[in-house]
Amino acid sequence: MMQLTGAEIVVECLKEQGVDTVFGYPGGTILNVYDALYMHREEITHILTSHEQGAAHAADGYARATGKVGVCLATSGPGATNLVTGIATAYMDSIPVVAITCNVNLPLLGKDSFQEVDIAGVTMPITKHSYIVKDISKLADTIRRAFSIAREKRPGPVLVDITKDVTAGVYEYEKQAPGECESGCKYTDEDIKRAVSLIQEAKKPFIYVGGGAVISGAYKEVRALAGLMDAPVCDTLMGKGVMDGHDERYTGMIGMHGTKTSNLGVSECDLLVALGARFSDRVVGNAAMFASNAKILQIDIDAAEINKNIRTDASVVGDLKEILTLINKELPQMEHKQWNEHIKELKEKFPLNYDESGLSCPYIMEQIDKVTDGKAVIVTDVGQHQMWAAQYFKYSEPRSFLSSGGLGTMGYGLGAVIGAKMGRPERVCINIAGDGCLRMNMNELATAARYQIPIIEVVINNHVLGMVRQWQTLFYGKRYSQTVLNDGVDFCMVAKGLGCEAIRVTRKEEVAQAITRAIELKKPVLIECVIPEDDKVFPMVPAGAPISEVFDATDLEKEA
């Protein structure tokens, strides 16, 4: 047993949990922790981001890419509040992050002291748990519990706020190994039997895969289930890579910008098996008309998600990998030849397509797929480019598509791709951004340059807020209120000014060469791709409409 300062206890607890990388920004109240980190800089790498929000997103990207807990640090007041959007992003997508902040000395709490904010109170609705540590004797156990809560059951972010005098105080410390996480399994044998029975009764089954399948590490079990059920499979934005994008059973994404095959197939099926998916409004459209011909079987680790958005006919609550292992053992090999032929016809009749005459984001994504042999980790910001990245790159494994799904955070991608590259240095890590998103986070290019982190930032520059403009075109009479960004900003000059390499692409034949060059440089590179302002993401389902009313550019031309 050793006598250590509170700050040293924080660092020792991080080492206990296997933390090798943290992202953050120092300040007055957290100085003791940074001093302790300095003494352990050979064991824990600290990445100084340009803004605390970048640190939160980097911790999130690290967690998504590796499956480990991401860690970010910030000082009190504005430092802590700058983490809030990143914490909320992680919360909506069930990403394990521990945010450590420090606050003013205990006697100054509640007195509107300089840079004092009740960050534990602020983040209470957007964390699994938030702590404030005022007693050094509780510090180590609180940090250990924070990591356990972040990882166990349905993962998510946890905040630990520590008063500065606790970090300065001295207390005994004894090393502990991390404990086992609770699985959160609540199912019974009857639940498994009911699930197997429903699957065996179905004539037209469809599997719908969400982010829980990625978190659980259940991709092999999902693929085995699809084979045993002889069923087509669609996914959500968060479920990318669970099914191999090249698999003939895979029908693409479901929902507002899902494929016609997925949306029509789910609308026609007689059993929908939801695996680690929460029936988000962007997936179901009009909830009253969603999969109205089907019985619903939902498997999820969080009992609160059962019957929350869509009524189920049966459910199994627990870890997806564990549950599917049991179901797969009980299921005989099934055959649904006629149903699969119908789905195949839909795929042939309604393929994803785009205008191939000029440079476009779908073409760029196909080239990235080709140049990287589909092995890149793709990160996105939020907007049209996010949907195109989900549609046109064929993800063959989980944790290769990282995106803000639930919160839809513009500015997420650049911090997240830095985190992903720190966690997966052997992979090519590429962020797909819109010009509107880059304006929110371009300061993090300086972070990548400072550490020479070889990330690739592909900017799809259409000089507008593309997704909002698409809605204005289709539903707001082309009144482009505050969505035109055609000004004097030169992203290549900005990138070079912040210490990165930059390449501008304006023609299709330049794309593959630019991507290849960026990979070869082994340093941070921005590739600006200039595309037309009115390119649109199709297919599309209008907000509130049933997903069976999915339409694309061809349908609009027919109406015109």
Side-chain angles (χ1 to χ4, degrees), residues 13-164:
C13 286
L14 293 178
K15 287 161 58 180
E16 278 180 11
Q17 299 295 328
V19 174
D20 54 21
T21 308
V22 298
F23 308 87
Y25 206 96
T29 62
I30 201 169
L31 269 177
N32 292 329
V33 173
Y34 271 82
D35 194 49
L37 275 171
Y38 181 84
M39 306 306 291
H40 294 269
R41 61 191 182 278
E42 300 300 320
E43 298 152 283
I44 298 177
T45 299
H46 180 282
I47 300 296
L48 174 66
T49 54
S50 300
H51 189 283
E52 290 90 352
Q53 187 179 130
H57 292 324
D60 174 303
Y62 178 94
R64 292 187 204 231
T66 64
K68 297 191 282 189
V69 178
V71 179
C72 56
L73 310 176
T75 197
S76 62
T81 57
N82 281 343
L83 294 176
V84 168
T85 299
I87 292 171
T89 300
Y91 184 71
M92 288 289 280
D93 290 343
S94 305
I95 307 304
V97 169
V98 171
I100 297 175
T101 58
C102 289
N103 218 318
V104 298
N105 288 329
L106 186 56
L108 295 175
L109 280 180
K111 296 185 178 179
D112 294 332
S113 308
F114 178 65
Q115 291 194 332
E116 182 204 352
V117 163
D118 175 16
I119 193 63
V122 168
T123 59
M124 196 176 293
I126 54 166
T127 53
K128 282 185 77 178
H129 202 90
S130 57
Y131 293 96
I132 179 162
V133 183
K134 305 175 188 177
D135 179 348
I136 194 170
S137 69
K138 297 177 180 174
L139 178 59
D141 285 344
T142 301
I143 292 173
R144 290 166 185 148
R145 186 74 188 118
F147 274 85
S148 180
I149 291 171
R151 270 193 296 256
E152 69 188 12
K153 301 178 183 175
R154 181 178 186 171
V158 178
L159 178 120
V160 180
D161 192 32
I162 310 164
T163 61
K164 186 173 183 178

Side-chain angles (χ1 to χ4, degrees), residues 212-223 242 320-322 324:
V214 175
I215 295 165
S216 176
Y219 74 101
K220 289 180 181 176
E221 289 74 16
V222 172
R223 294 176 186 186
V242 173
L320 185 64
K321 185 183 177 81
E322 186 177 319
L324 290 188

Side-chain angles (χ1 to χ4, degrees), residues 147-392:
F147 274 85
S148 180
I149 291 171
R151 270 193 296 256
E152 69 188 12
K153 301 178 183 175
R154 181 178 186 171
V158 178
L159 178 120
V160 180
D161 192 32
I162 310 164
T163 61
K164 186 173 183 178
D165 43 5
V166 166
T167 67
V170 175
Y171 193 71
E172 58 201 33
Y173 164 80
E174 188 171 4
K175 185 176 180 179
Q176 284 187 20
E180 288 291 312
C181 288
E182 288 185 45
S183 70
C185 290
K186 298 177 181 177
Y187 62 86
T188 65
D189 290 343
E190 282 304 310
D191 294 333
I192 301 294
K193 286 177 184 173
R194 174 72 175 137
V196 169
S197 176
L198 271 180
I199 292 168
Q200 287 185 273
E201 290 166 10
K203 299 289 187 287
K204 297 189 290 183
F206 217 114
I207 298 172
Y208 148 52
V209 178
V214 175
I215 295 165
S216 176
Y219 74 101
K220 289 180 181 176
E221 289 74 16
V222 172
R223 294 176 186 186
L225 177 70
L228 286 169
M229 284 178 60
D230 194 25
V233 185
C234 65
D235 58 16
T236 68
L237 199 64
M238 306 310 300
K240 289 282 163 199
V242 173
M243 279 297 286
D244 187 334
H246 304 87
D247 194 302
E248 64 179 4
R249 297 186 190 283
Y250 179 63
T251 61
M253 197 161 61
I254 183 176
M256 181 172 280
H257 293 292
T259 64
K260 281 192 170 185
T261 303
S262 292
N263 286 354
L264 296 174
V266 166
S267 300
E268 295 173 22
C269 74
D270 65 2
L271 174 68
L272 183 63
V273 181
L275 305 177
R278 60 187 177 86
F279 296 99
S280 152
D281 59 300
R282 285 294 174 103
V283 165
V284 304
N286 185 324
M289 302 177 74
F290 178 74
S292 53
N293 299 311
K295 289 182 177 177
I296 308 288
L297 167 61
Q298 186 176 5
I299 304 174
D300 203 280
I301 200 163
D302 189 351
E305 291 298 341
I306 309 298
N307 295 320
K308 186 174 87 174
N309 295 328
I310 296 291
R311 298 295 300 177
T312 63
D313 293 271
S315 61
V316 190
V317 176
D319 178 73
L320 185 64
K321 185 183 177 81
E322 186 177 319
I323 290 165
L324 290 188
T325 300
L326 295 173
I327 289 175
N328 288 346
K329 281 180 183 173
E330 297 299 319
L331 269 183
Q333 179 61 54
M334 307 184 72
E335 188 178 343
H336 301 291
K337 190 173 181 182
Q338 194 174 347
W339 172 235
N340 282 305
E341 281 296 324
H342 174 63
I343 296 300
K344 186 180 177 184
E345 286 167 12
L346 288 177
K347 286 172 78 170
E348 289 169 357
K349 186 178 179 182
F350 301 119
L352 283 173
N353 59 73
Y354 62 93
D355 181 356
E356 298 183 30
S357 61
L359 183 63
S360 67
C361 190
Y363 177 80
I364 293 162
M365 292 313 305
E366 288 178 342
Q367 290 301 302
I368 291 172
D369 194 341
K370 187 175 179 182
V371 170
T372 64
D373 194 27
K375 301 298 184 191
V377 173
I378 302 294
V379 185
T380 78
D381 274 280
V382 171
Q384 288 180 313
H385 61 276
Q386 176 189 31
M387 296 298 110
W388 284 318
Q391 292 172 331
Y392 288 96

